[in-house]
Amino acid sequence: MGTGTDRGRDGAGSGEEGTGIAVGADLLDFRSGKFHGDVVAKKVEHHYHHIPGTLALQALPSPARGFVGRDRELRTLLNALDPAEPDRGAVLVSSVTGLGGVGKTALALQAAHTAQRRGFFPAGAVFLDLHGYDDVPVAPEQALEQLLLALGVPRDHMPTSADARAGLYRSVLAEVAEKQGALLVVVDNASHSSQVRPLLPGHPRHRVLVTSRDVLAQLGAQLLRLGVLSPEHSVEALKTALAAADPTDARIARNLDQARRLSGLCGYLPLALHIAAALLVNDPGKPVKELADELADTATRIDYLDDGERAMRAAFDMSYRRLGDGSARLFRLIALAPGPEAGPEALAALGGVPPDPRTLDVLVRAHLIETGSSRGRWRMHDLVRAYGVFRTREDAASSAEGHAARARLLSRYQQRVADSHPYLQTLPEQPRSGGFTDREEALRWLDTEREGLVAASQWAVDPQHAETGVRFALGLSHYLAWRRHFDDAAEVYHHAAKGARLIGDRRFEGMAYDNLGMALRYLRRGDEAIAAHRHALDLFRAIGAVREEGTARYNLGNALLEARRFDEALDAFQEADVLLRASGAVRTAAMTQNGLGVLRFRMGHFDEALTHLDAARAAYRSLGDTIMEAISTNNRARVLRSLGQLDASLREHTRCVAFFQSLGQIERAASAGNDLALTLHAMGRAAEAIEQHTEAVDSLRQQREQYREAMVLNDLGNTLRSAGRHRDAVDCHERALSLLRDVFFDTYGQARSLDLYAAAVLATGDTEEAARAWRESVALYRRAGADDDARAVTRRSTALGVRTEVIGSEAGDA
């Protein structure tokens, strides 16, 4: 134990004369003295002995119940705490950092208890909560007092100053290290390094484990940045919490889909998950879906996550209150950024000026933001964002600032999207703005900002931003079509339609519905696409917009064509052609000729198809629209193949593939490549055809163009069968059938896949399976209204000696 001494200096004389010089209050220096006679100096020592008090060295709080999903992090901490760690001559400090509510304390306690069970710390473990984010955090002298009391030092034997207490603390711990061994000091909720530094032992045998929302870089600690739980572990945490309260509570196990949804709405944040679990425990009759529905609204989610004892808002308040005015403002503005992350351009627009890097660093250290997909881009946890949005609405001034920030960003996005339009047109070169230097740069910016741009489209339904928001959302059509992001397009046009209705602009509403119909058609949601185009037609007719009505009729024709409603599609295309020619819309009229050509081809009228496609190609060529010229050329080459003009078909398909590849239009290049393979197959060049088909399948899979992938898989299977590779053909048709059955629910596509599958299976010698597949194919063709195809299957299978008659109600029930 440490000992304090005050010493008088020994002195002796032998008759020399002298005087003593005072040094300090009770110290005399006799070195220059002269003494006459005997002189005796008395040494006085004062010893302050430590009077043992009550030791509290096994005082860890209990570990959290239902601790899940932190195996890797726990191993990392235990490796750091292991006394076998080489002695570096200094105390090893480990720091667990992360967002409020992410489970730092739970992990630290789990690690501490596990280390104790393994015998890492024979002297014990002490725990201290510094309340670093409370209004009144624990001061260093108070923290040292608590630790000294735990070490058995009575209160009345403690020095008063923080420095003296720190010295005594280190002295006591040195004695503990020598007599009892290593001690673990767990310091929870530290807000800055100066809170922790006085608590570090001097003896390297001991270990310190710190938790903080901030990165305490000045400590030189081993950092463990703690993130949210995985989706699977989040569901497990909910299930464990409910089972702890009532082992018979099976709501999570019975509703796994809703439990996953609830976990996602909690942002996989442990505190939010525990609050959600408590809300379910408090109301045993509450369905998981009901709680998830309550949390679905981001505007109120923070309020709902409150179980009466714990609240997400209170947890985030602690971090927010420590921010300065500039950091707090930037935090609120970043929360308004659309999409999962924001780059420097978005932050500059939101704030009016580029953000100060030092202010960003404050938010990073507090774990209120984190690095996004690349350096300079920032993201927020969903619940932190919801809290930040709440802060932007807490008073009139903050609300006004938020609206102004959104207006600036929306204006910036609208300008940048408009700058990209000349590079994404199929028409000849147009005057370029100063926004981008070429198509590659424009697409790179759009791809980087895509999620934010799509998310910003929802501002079209905000009355404060509706007019600009609608124009912006409709302006995204060029990019979304170029990159074929049809899921995003459907979301954007839904918002545009609602916003246009809000401001009473029927022309914009009609454009939004027409664009929505095209997106839905590419998503193979045919009935919805047809309904959207018909609604657009009604809106355009009501305001006398002839050109827009003609365009909508053309798009309706395409949707009807995809639905195999050929007669209705023919009417739509012909009516569109009349309206578009009357309005002088030459380019769109050429598109109608292309549509009529594809329709006639699908109906088997090849000469008529060629006439329409020749007219379309000539019109596009005169307009200089090279992309649409290539599209009509590729369609024309398909007709030439059906007419037996294989060399011409091969040349035109080959040129189209090269052209689309040069533009980076991967999906169109793959489709043209598959057409090229079909022509090669027709020419008897099966090996080359299989290679082309396979390249097309791979490209479409990478682009997640699953519907077209299924179509090409069927074509590949057909070619493989003709090449004698029957088992490979069966596999292709099974994969196509799976996509069309499980992803798109395409009845006609399933029927065709089964038809081709049956032929491939028959080639392997399995007559029974072929008959079964053909029977199912006939039933599905009939359900799809394709009676001619059903009869053709029956004739073909019968000719091959396979009975496929469907009797009774089998066709209707299949």
Side-chain angles (χ1 to χ4, degrees):
M1 213 44 82
T3 303
T5 61
D6 288 331
R7 301 170 186 259
R9 186 177 181 86
D10 285 328
S14 56
E16 296 187 29
E17 184 176 332
T19 60
I21 299 174
V23 179
D26 58 354
L27 182 65
L28 293 177
D29 186 347
F30 294 110
R31 286 175 295 181
S32 61
K34 296 180 180 180
F35 300 96
H36 302 279
D38 294 332
V39 177
V40 178
K42 181 180 180 182
K43 174 182 178 182
V44 180
E45 289 190 352
H46 299 281
H47 294 268
Y48 295 91
H49 294 282
H50 164 52
I51 303 174
T54 302
L55 292 173
L57 299 184
Q58 301 294 338
L60 290 175
S62 298
R65 292 188 68 182
F67 182 82
V68 299
R70 299 296 195 191
D71 292 346
R72 180 183 60 80
E73 294 87 347
L74 185 59
R75 283 195 301 271
T76 299
L77 281 185
L78 289 171
N79 289 337
L81 296 175
D82 193 333
E85 177 80 13
D87 184 356
R88 301 181 303 172
V91 176
L92 192 146
V93 181
S94 297
S95 178
V96 182
T97 68
L99 177 65
V102 81
K104 300 180 294 295
T105 302
L107 174 61
L109 288 175
Q110 192 74 20
H113 279 281
T114 305
Q116 284 281 76
R117 288 194 298 273
R118 293 184 181 181
F120 287 4
F121 301 104
V126 292
F127 179 88
L128 180 64
D129 187 347
L130 294 182
H131 296 279
Y133 300 91
D134 290 358
D135 291 334
V136 184
V138 176
E141 59 271 20
Q142 295 172 311
L144 287 163
E145 179 181 5
Q146 293 182 45
L147 290 171
L148 286 169
L149 287 171
L151 289 164
V153 178
R155 197 182 305 275
D156 56 0
H157 283 71
M158 288 184 199
T160 56
S161 73
D163 288 344
R165 287 182 177 182
L168 179 58
Y169 168 70
R170 290 190 293 271
S171 178
V172 172
L173 283 182
E175 187 172 327
V176 169
E178 297 302 324
K179 293 182 177 180
Q180 296 168 260
L183 178 81
L184 174 63
V185 181
V186 181
V187 181
D188 194 33
N189 278 319
S191 59
H192 45 78
S193 297
S194 60
Q195 262 195 313
V196 180
R197 197 172 288 108
L199 313 182
L200 301 182
H203 198 290
R205 202 169 197 177
H206 302 305
R207 296 285 188 266
V208 178
L209 179 55
V210 182
T211 74
S212 178
R213 299 183 184 198
D214 291 87
V215 177
L216 308 180
Q218 299 86 345
L219 284 179
Q222 291 187 355
L223 291 180
L224 175 61
R225 289 179 169 87
L226 195 60
V228 297
L229 292 172
S230 69
E232 296 78 15
H233 286 132
S234 297
V235 172
E236 186 181 349
L238 288 172
K239 184 178 179 181
T240 303
L242 266 64
D246 178 2
T248 66
D249 192 334
R251 279 178 287 178
I252 299 299
R254 286 198 307 262
N255 301 279
L256 283 177
D257 286 344
Q258 289 300 323
R260 293 186 188 100
R261 179 179 168 229
L262 177 60
S263 299
L265 291 168
C266 290
Y268 312 114
L269 192 68
L271 177 57
L273 292 164
H274 291 148
I275 292 173
L279 294 172
L280 291 172
V281 168
N282 291 340
D283 187 353
K286 192 184 193 78
V288 178
K289 180 180 185 302
E290 183 178 324
L291 179 58
D293 289 343
E294 290 170 354
L295 295 180
D297 187 349
T298 55
T300 58
R301 190 175 305 166
I302 288 292
D303 295 319
Y304 270 102
L305 285 169
D306 184 341
D307 64 6
E309 184 175 319
R310 298 163 298 184
M312 286 310 309
R313 184 190 293 180
F316 294 150
D317 277 342
M318 292 181 178
S319 296
Y320 182 76
R321 285 198 301 264
R322 296 187 67 248
L323 300 176
D325 290 344
S327 300
R329 178 178 184 269
L330 182 58
F331 168 71
R332 294 192 301 270
L333 294 177
I334 294 177
L336 294 175
E341 64 179 41
E345 190 170 350
L347 294 186
L350 285 166
V353 293
D356 185 340
R358 293 171 298 180
T359 308
L360 283 166
D361 192 47
V362 168
L363 299 180
V364 172
R365 291 200 306 269
H367 288 93
L368 292 172
I369 62 172
E370 60 185 2
T371 302
S373 57
S374 61
R375 193 167 182 269
R377 298 186 67 81
W378 306 100
R379 65 172 64 244
M380 267 184 178
H381 186 275
D382 288 347
L383 292 181
V384 177
R385 183 185 298 276
Y387 174 81
V389 172
F390 152 74
R391 281 290 181 180
T392 67
R393 297 170 177 168
E394 62 183 338
D395 55 52
S398 296
S399 181
E401 179 184 56
H403 282 303
R406 279 181 166 164
R408 286 193 297 269
L409 180 58
L410 199 53
S411 176
R412 177 61 177 169
Y413 274 169
Q414 185 180 21
Q415 182 59 56
R416 293 288 271 167
V417 169
D419 288 343
S420 73
H421 286 172
Y423 300 98
L424 305 180
Q425 300 280 2
T426 62
L427 291 169
E429 289 264 332
Q430 299 181 25
R432 305 310 203 208
S433 67
F436 300 103
T437 57
D438 55 25
R439 176 181 290 142
E440 190 173 316
E441 183 188 356
L443 285 171
R444 186 165 54 248
W445 183 87
L446 289 162
D447 289 342
T448 301
E449 300 293 337
R450 177 172 64 90
E451 291 179 294
L453 296 171
V454 172
S457 70
Q458 66 187 311
W459 295 347
V461 302
D462 183 340
Q464 294 262 8
H465 307 289
E467 187 158 353
T468 305
V470 170
R471 292 178 182 274
F472 160 72
L474 292 174
L476 286 171
S477 60
H478 298 286
Y479 166 65
L480 295 174
W482 186 278
R483 285 299 200 211
R484 308 187 77 74
H485 292 308
F486 297 118
D487 283 310
D488 288 342
E491 179 183 344
V492 167
Y493 302 139
H494 269 300
H495 293 145
K498 287 183 181 178
R501 194 177 310 120
L502 186 68
I503 60 177
D505 192 316
R506 286 189 286 182
R507 180 173 175 273
F508 278 166
E509 187 181 355
M511 291 169 64
Y513 272 106
D514 202 28
N515 286 347
L516 175 61
M518 286 188 283
L520 292 170
R521 173 165 62 88
Y522 281 109
L523 293 172
R524 309 301 158 184
R525 292 159 59 181
D527 291 342
E528 295 174 77
I530 291 168
H533 288 308
R534 291 196 187 282
H535 189 59
L537 278 173
D538 292 341
L539 289 163
F540 290 138
R541 267 200 307 264
I543 60 174
V546 176
R547 177 178 296 201
E548 288 85 352
E549 183 186 349
T551 301
R553 285 197 179 280
Y554 162 73
N555 289 326
L556 173 62
N558 280 324
L560 292 165
L561 173 59
E562 288 295 322
R564 302 185 60 79
R565 291 159 61 172
F566 296 145
D567 291 339
E568 294 175 77
L570 180 60
D571 289 342
F573 282 138
Q574 289 174 338
E575 291 168 7
D577 192 55
V578 172
L579 289 169
L580 291 167
R581 291 183 187 280
S583 65
V586 178
R587 179 175 178 273
T588 317
M591 292 171 67
T592 303
Q593 288 299 309
N594 183 71
L596 283 165
V598 174
L599 172 63
R600 292 299 188 186
F601 170 69
R602 296 276 290 275
M603 296 173 75
H605 304 159
F606 301 131
D607 290 331
E608 291 178 69
L610 203 58
T611 299
H612 288 299
L613 290 169
D614 282 342
R617 186 168 70 165
Y620 289 135
R621 186 171 291 163
S622 67
L623 291 167
D625 191 336
T626 53
I627 292 179
M628 289 306 302
E629 181 185 347
I631 289 172
S632 59
T633 298
N634 195 66
N635 288 332
R636 185 177 184 278
R638 295 166 69 193
V639 177
L640 292 174
R641 179 174 66 247
S642 297
L643 290 170
Q645 299 179 38
L646 299 182
D647 289 335
S649 174
L650 183 67
R651 284 194 301 273
E652 296 199 349
H653 281 316
T654 301
R655 282 199 299 268
C656 290
V657 170
F659 177 74
F660 289 132
Q661 286 176 338
S662 72
L663 292 178
Q665 300 239 316
I666 298 173
E667 187 273 338
R668 283 187 171 129
S671 294
N674 185 62
D675 284 324
L676 173 60
L678 292 173
T679 298
L680 288 167
H681 181 200
M683 298 173 79
R685 295 159 63 176
E688 295 171 80
I690 290 169
E691 183 179 351
Q692 284 289 334
H693 281 311
T694 303
E695 286 181 12
V697 168
D698 291 342
S699 293
L700 292 167
R701 185 175 298 132
Q702 289 172 12
Q703 293 297 302
R704 298 186 179 181
E705 287 275 359
Q706 292 178 300
Y707 189 85
R708 290 186 183 273
E709 180 188 347
M711 299 296 103
V712 177
L713 279 168
N714 276 330
D715 289 339
L716 172 58
N718 218 21
T719 302
L720 287 166
R721 177 163 58 88
S722 70
R725 294 169 57 179
H726 306 310
R727 293 292 179 188
D728 291 338
V730 168
D731 178 62
C732 283
H733 297 311
E734 284 179 328
R735 287 157 58 194
L737 180 62
S738 176
L739 285 170
L740 295 167
R741 176 184 287 154
D742 301 334
V743 179
F744 295 102
F745 314 106
D746 182 341
T747 304
Y748 183 86
Q750 291 175 50
R752 181 171 181 271
S753 298
L754 281 163
D755 183 7
L756 295 170
Y757 166 79
V761 167
L762 183 64
T764 69
D766 191 342
T767 306
E768 185 176 341
E769 173 62 9
R772 183 206 63 77
W774 264 320
R775 282 195 297 270
E776 187 179 352
S777 173
V778 169
L780 288 171
Y781 272 136
R782 288 178 178 171
R783 182 185 294 177
D787 292 337
D788 289 346
D789 293 286
R791 285 190 287 272
V793 170
T794 302
R795 286 195 302 271
R796 189 166 59 253
S797 59
T798 301
L800 293 170
V802 180
R803 291 176 58 84
T804 59
E805 293 87 349
V806 180
I807 59 175
S809 61
E810 186 174 348
D813 295 337

